[in-house]
Amino acid sequence: MSHRVLIYSRFPKAMMVRIGQRFELMDAAGKPPHEMFTTEQLAGITAMITAGGTPLGADMMDRMPKLGAIVCYGTGYDGVDLAAAAQRKIAVGHSPGANASSVADIAMTLMLAATRRLLPADDYVRGGGWSSAKPSPMMRPQAGMRGRRIGVYGMGEIGRKIAARAAAFETEVGYFSRSRHDVPYQYLPSLEALADWCSVLMIAVRAGADTHHAVDAGILKRLGEDGCVVNISRGSVIDEQALVKALADNTIAGAGLDVFEQEPHAPDALTALPNVVLTPHIGGHTLESHTAMQDCVIANLEAFFAGKPLPYQVRGG
Amino acid sequence: MSHRVLIYSRFPKAMMVRIGQRFELMDAAGKPPHEMFTTEQLAGITAMITAGGTPLGADMMDRMPKLGAIVCYGTGYDGVDLAAAAQRKIAVGHSPGANASSVADIAMTLMLAATRRLLPADDYVRGGGWSSAKPSPMMRPQAGMRGRRIGVYGMGEIGRKIAARAAAFETEVGYFSRSRHDVPYQYLPSLEALADWCSVLMIAVRAGADTHHAVDAGILKRLGEDGCVVNISRGSVIDEQALVKALADNTIAGAGLDVFEQEPHAPDALTALPNVVLTPHIGGHTLESHTAMQDCVIANLEAFFAGKPLPYQVRGG
């Protein structure tokens, strides 16, 4: 008999197929599980897979009294109430580092596209502006990468990979993180100091209560009118309303965002702006990182059902 | 008395201002000079500035019998008939390397945007596809950079900078060039072998008769259905019709193009495709590379008017 696993969020089909070959899936398809399954069904669940950002609190855990493992697909687990899980002796696992390269790549993609104004440039060619030599303020030359100061906020696995990529573009890389790391980049003592120092702020910090709206109107003002902010972490780290205002009144020059406060929604005020590049949380969305994340999910679940500790357990989870 | 200089192509305003502070400009504004100036005026011209790609043949040189210096803005000089210039003892200068970093950056921007499908992704967010969970074949996960084979065609200054940037994305980098270079990348013995080996072909070769349509239907077929081609060199290096066909029938997966066969025009068949990213020849179009190119132009002109050899002379020019 194969083990039953609750699917709490919506996942790519390829993932469902692969996990489905090993376990019996109870797919809530992104809806509240108690709307999809009976109380009895929920009572039988011992393990579940969730996207780390999906809210998962004590009330939901209490609907599944036999729950022993919450397995997050991806690095993040900010939606999971870790204290509530610990209290109920539920192990929390994730996929550390499995998507770090892919996420760092999308961070670079967004930075380059935003600073070189790729979207207006493509539009200028497709719309005939180029062939008719139509003047376009968006096509004025911008500062390139060489000599730019790239500030990385957070120096975990993704932050390091962003820093290594950015340094190859002949930039200066600096960072701020709760603690200094043994990396060949300048350490700035605060987020304020990093924003003052850099012209591109790359947000790679782990989301949580301590980083909620860490990038606010004050930080954006410090970034300055030539500044650009890129977020591939979680939408909650930026005050989105302040960002929209800073972009609209040219307090900063541009932004590249893969994450938003209320996913899967990007506010209309943001999507109306020409100086932003927006992607639908696809940082970890590559073939190889999906495979690597699935490997972690499967390893965590197999260990759990074999009565062993999760190999990829969240610290404190 | 300041020296007179013919402006043969259209240039950014900032460049015209800076050059205009030092020399008296006769601006043909991109039109044939003999339509803008009298035979007498042309007969007095001793120096001119041109975009390297603009055709400049013997017939045009003969309208300016006193012409002693053709100064190209940028690295390229493929529009200039070097043999005709040599025959008339006209020195040809350019701006070697001044824009190499900027051009390498746009190559990376195009590669990342094309392989990660940035334009459809942005459109998916802005158009509401994401928030309504609308299925989109363009949003299927693609291969990321890690472990990808990046083939660089041409290993001049721009090719080296592309290779260094690409290697930082945890890729394997290979190259083909007329000769082997002392670089830490795998050398492939032919363009065919490079196309067979790589999944992204980065065209950084100098344009000329020997590279005209070097990337043709056969090379694109070797690149394969997961392959992507990026061109930041000159449009003439790719057979554009073959490229459109290969993109339309999925012989290759995508393309990123900063250059086109008939600039400033991109064919309608190309602009209609969803799997291409198009920029209006902005590779060297950053503040710092414009300044560096202007430095070379000014140094070449000042040396010429002082009766000295051009400091940035084209080899054989």
Side-chain angles (χ1 to χ4, degrees), chain B residues 57 78 83 88 95 103 118 121 210 253 264:
Chain B
D78 49 302
R88 288 159 184 79
S95 325
V103 176
L118 182 69
D210 54 327

PDB file of all heavy atoms in Angstrom, chain B residues 57 78 83 88 95 103 118 121 210 253 264:
ATOM      1  N   GLY B  57      31.758  53.491 -49.462  1.00  0.00           N
ATOM      2  CA  GLY B  57      32.574  52.910 -50.524  1.00  0.00           C
ATOM      3  C   GLY B  57      33.427  53.930 -51.251  1.00  0.00           C
ATOM      4  O   GLY B  57      33.449  55.120 -50.911  1.00  0.00           O
ATOM      5  N   ASP B  78      32.819  47.458 -40.585  1.00  0.00           N
ATOM      6  CA  ASP B  78      32.491  46.580 -41.712  1.00  0.00           C
ATOM      7  C   ASP B  78      31.842  47.314 -42.874  1.00  0.00           C
ATOM      8  O   ASP B  78      31.832  46.816 -44.000  1.00  0.00           O
ATOM      9  CB  ASP B  78      31.575  45.445 -41.244  1.00  0.00           C
ATOM     10  CG  ASP B  78      30.403  45.943 -40.426  1.00  0.00           C
ATOM     11  OD1 ASP B  78      30.642  46.590 -39.387  1.00  0.00           O
ATOM     12  OD2 ASP B  78      29.251  45.714 -40.819  1.00  0.00           O
ATOM     13  N   ALA B  83      40.009  48.609 -48.527  1.00  0.00           N
ATOM     14  CA  ALA B  83      40.940  48.615 -49.655  1.00  0.00           C
ATOM     15  C   ALA B  83      40.882  49.967 -50.367  1.00  0.00           C
ATOM     16  O   ALA B  83      41.921  50.564 -50.687  1.00  0.00           O
ATOM     17  CB  ALA B  83      40.600  47.479 -50.620  1.00  0.00           C
ATOM     18  N   ARG B  88      43.512  55.299 -51.284  1.00  0.00           N
ATOM     19  CA  ARG B  88      43.447  56.774 -51.250  1.00  0.00           C
ATOM     20  C   ARG B  88      44.232  57.348 -50.075  1.00  0.00           C
ATOM     21  O   ARG B  88      44.099  58.525 -49.764  1.00  0.00           O
ATOM     22  CB  ARG B  88      41.966  57.197 -51.187  1.00  0.00           C
ATOM     23  CG  ARG B  88      41.232  56.975 -52.522  1.00  0.00           C
ATOM     24  CD  ARG B  88      39.730  56.893 -52.358  1.00  0.00           C
ATOM     25  NE  ARG B  88      39.075  56.598 -53.640  1.00  0.00           N
ATOM     26  CZ  ARG B  88      39.017  55.371 -54.184  1.00  0.00           C
ATOM     27  NH1 ARG B  88      39.572  54.340 -53.549  1.00  0.00           N
ATOM     28  NH2 ARG B  88      38.414  55.184 -55.347  1.00  0.00           N
ATOM     29  N   SER B  95      36.934  52.534 -32.296  1.00  0.00           N
ATOM     30  CA  SER B  95      36.952  52.641 -30.835  1.00  0.00           C
ATOM     31  C   SER B  95      37.058  51.234 -30.267  1.00  0.00           C
ATOM     32  O   SER B  95      36.085  50.698 -29.730  1.00  0.00           O
ATOM     33  CB  SER B  95      35.663  53.304 -30.333  1.00  0.00           C
ATOM     34  OG  SER B  95      35.196  54.295 -31.223  1.00  0.00           O
ATOM     35  N   VAL B 103      28.336  45.701 -24.608  1.00  0.00           N
ATOM     36  CA  VAL B 103      27.828  44.758 -25.608  1.00  0.00           C
ATOM     37  C   VAL B 103      27.725  43.354 -25.007  1.00  0.00           C
ATOM     38  O   VAL B 103      26.729  42.647 -25.223  1.00  0.00           O
ATOM     39  CB  VAL B 103      28.712  44.761 -26.876  1.00  0.00           C
ATOM     40  CG1 VAL B 103      28.237  43.700 -27.857  1.00  0.00           C
ATOM     41  CG2 VAL B 103      28.705  46.138 -27.531  1.00  0.00           C
ATOM     42  N   LEU B 118      11.310  35.800 -20.764  1.00  0.00           N
ATOM     43  CA  LEU B 118      10.990  36.956 -19.931  1.00  0.00           C
ATOM     44  C   LEU B 118       9.820  37.765 -20.474  1.00  0.00           C
ATOM     45  O   LEU B 118       8.948  38.196 -19.707  1.00  0.00           O
ATOM     46  CB  LEU B 118      12.225  37.867 -19.818  1.00  0.00           C
ATOM     47  CG  LEU B 118      12.055  39.092 -18.937  1.00  0.00           C
ATOM     48  CD1 LEU B 118      11.928  38.679 -17.478  1.00  0.00           C
ATOM     49  CD2 LEU B 118      13.212  40.055 -19.115  1.00  0.00           C
ATOM     50  N   ALA B 121       6.586  36.116 -19.897  1.00  0.00           N
ATOM     51  CA  ALA B 121       6.360  36.075 -18.450  1.00  0.00           C
ATOM     52  C   ALA B 121       5.816  37.423 -17.962  1.00  0.00           C
ATOM     53  O   ALA B 121       4.847  37.480 -17.201  1.00  0.00           O
ATOM     54  CB  ALA B 121       7.655  35.728 -17.717  1.00  0.00           C
ATOM     55  N   ASP B 210      33.833  37.008 -44.972  1.00  0.00           N
ATOM     56  CA  ASP B 210      34.056  35.608 -44.583  1.00  0.00           C
ATOM     57  C   ASP B 210      33.029  35.105 -43.562  1.00  0.00           C
ATOM     58  O   ASP B 210      32.900  33.898 -43.361  1.00  0.00           O
ATOM     59  CB  ASP B 210      35.478  35.442 -44.031  1.00  0.00           C
ATOM     60  CG  ASP B 210      35.752  36.418 -42.891  1.00  0.00           C
ATOM     61  OD1 ASP B 210      35.210  37.548 -42.913  1.00  0.00           O
ATOM     62  OD2 ASP B 210      36.502  36.049 -41.970  1.00  0.00           O
ATOM     63  N   ALA B 253      14.626  26.926 -30.301  1.00  0.00           N
ATOM     64  CA  ALA B 253      13.641  27.366 -29.306  1.00  0.00           C
ATOM     65  C   ALA B 253      13.459  28.877 -29.257  1.00  0.00           C
ATOM     66  O   ALA B 253      12.356  29.365 -28.991  1.00  0.00           O
ATOM     67  CB  ALA B 253      14.037  26.856 -27.924  1.00  0.00           C
ATOM     68  N   PRO B 264      17.549  50.396 -39.790  1.00  0.00           N
ATOM     69  CA  PRO B 264      16.831  50.086 -38.544  1.00  0.00           C
ATOM     70  C   PRO B 264      15.509  49.326 -38.762  1.00  0.00           C
ATOM     71  O   PRO B 264      14.476  49.719 -38.218  1.00  0.00           O
ATOM     72  CB  PRO B 264      16.553  51.479 -37.989  1.00  0.00           C
ATOM     73  CG  PRO B 264      16.328  52.326 -39.221  1.00  0.00           C
ATOM     74  CD  PRO B 264      17.174  51.719 -40.311  1.00  0.00           C
TER      75      PRO B 264
END
